[in-house]
Amino acid sequence: MTKLRRAADYLVLGSLAFVFALPALYLVLGSFKPSNQVLDGLTGFLPTDLTLRNYRAVFDGLSSDSTGHFWQFMAVSVSVSVIVVVGGLVINSMAAYALSRLRWHGRQPVLTVVLLLMLVPFESVAVPLFHLLGDHRNTLYVLALPFIANAFSIYQFHTAFSSIPRSIDEAARLDGAGPWRILFSVIWPMSKPVFASVAILTFLMSWGSFLWPVLMISEPALRPLPLEMSVFQGQQPPDWGQILAFGVLLVTPVLIVFAFFQRWFVQGVAGSAVKG
């Protein structure tokens, strides 16, 4: 009975895993198919003729000064994401440290405001931000600036920092450490999993950002990859094999970042789940 139940569990979990992985499999397999076979549906799901023609076409199509270069768009996305991730880790962890470890008047109302900001979608503040930063359009830093401070990241850091015993702070103070030294030398080294978790989630948010670049960027040289993909996809007639190849190139850096931080990311998510 136990073996039968375990087999049923594996069957259900395997089926769910296949359903969730199906779009990704379709994306990867379709990128290696000839373009005239991409829309064959499930009947042509497994390719019979693998080719790198779609990838070569993407690089050839984006290799001139008139259309821009693929690596140029990649560099813009990487630069913006690095600024958002590194700046976000520093700023948001410092804010969380002040809210979770320091005692000051008004701390709880500020924390409540931060929690409420998590409920505000970016689309509702995009237009006010556009008017506020409109004079700085077509600059690299304006793509990153609104996303460095993030309420959800502050909440994640706050949860992790609050779980660290306060006796550690008291011991550090007895050794002469001030608040900054406690943060950089004690709290940060003890919070690697939450740093990895926040870094990956922030990178995903920044890498896939589309609405803000649409509003702020009109210069082709400053387009990030998702914006350039929308331009590439709008070409007529659409070549779906090349579009899927572009999609694979778009998500590959995300997989590399996840693979690099995977161990700490799992620890951070598991720790948050247990605390929740």
Side-chain angles (χ1 to χ4, degrees), residues 83-104:
I83 294 172
V84 172
V85 171
V86 175
L89 290 178
V90 174
I91 298 297
N92 296 320
S93 64
M94 291 170 64
Y97 176 72
L99 292 170
S100 61
R101 312 294 293 189
L102 303 181
R103 293 287 180 262
W104 46 280

Side-chain angles (χ1 to χ4, degrees), residues 189-208:
M190 296 180 66
S191 307
K192 290 179 181 176
V194 71
F195 271 86
S197 177
V198 172
I200 289 179
L201 295 178
T202 305
F203 181 83
L204 285 174
M205 177 196 69
S206 176
W207 190 262

Side-chain angles (χ1 to χ4, degrees), residues 167-212:
S167 57
I168 294 178
D169 294 33
E170 297 169 0
R173 288 194 187 95
L174 290 176
D175 288 340
W180 292 108
R181 186 178 172 189
I182 294 174
L183 172 63
F184 297 138
S185 302
V186 179
I187 302 298
W188 277 13
M190 296 180 66
S191 307
K192 290 179 181 176
V194 71
F195 271 86
S197 177
V198 172
I200 289 179
L201 295 178
T202 305
F203 181 83
L204 285 174
M205 177 196 69
S206 176
W207 190 262
S209 177
F210 179 75
L211 175 61
W212 187 240

Side-chain angles (χ1 to χ4, degrees), residues 157-175:
F157 280 121
H158 178 271
T159 303
F161 293 170
S162 298
S163 66
I164 299 175
R166 293 193 172 277
S167 57
I168 294 178
D169 294 33
E170 297 169 0
R173 288 194 187 95
L174 290 176
D175 288 340

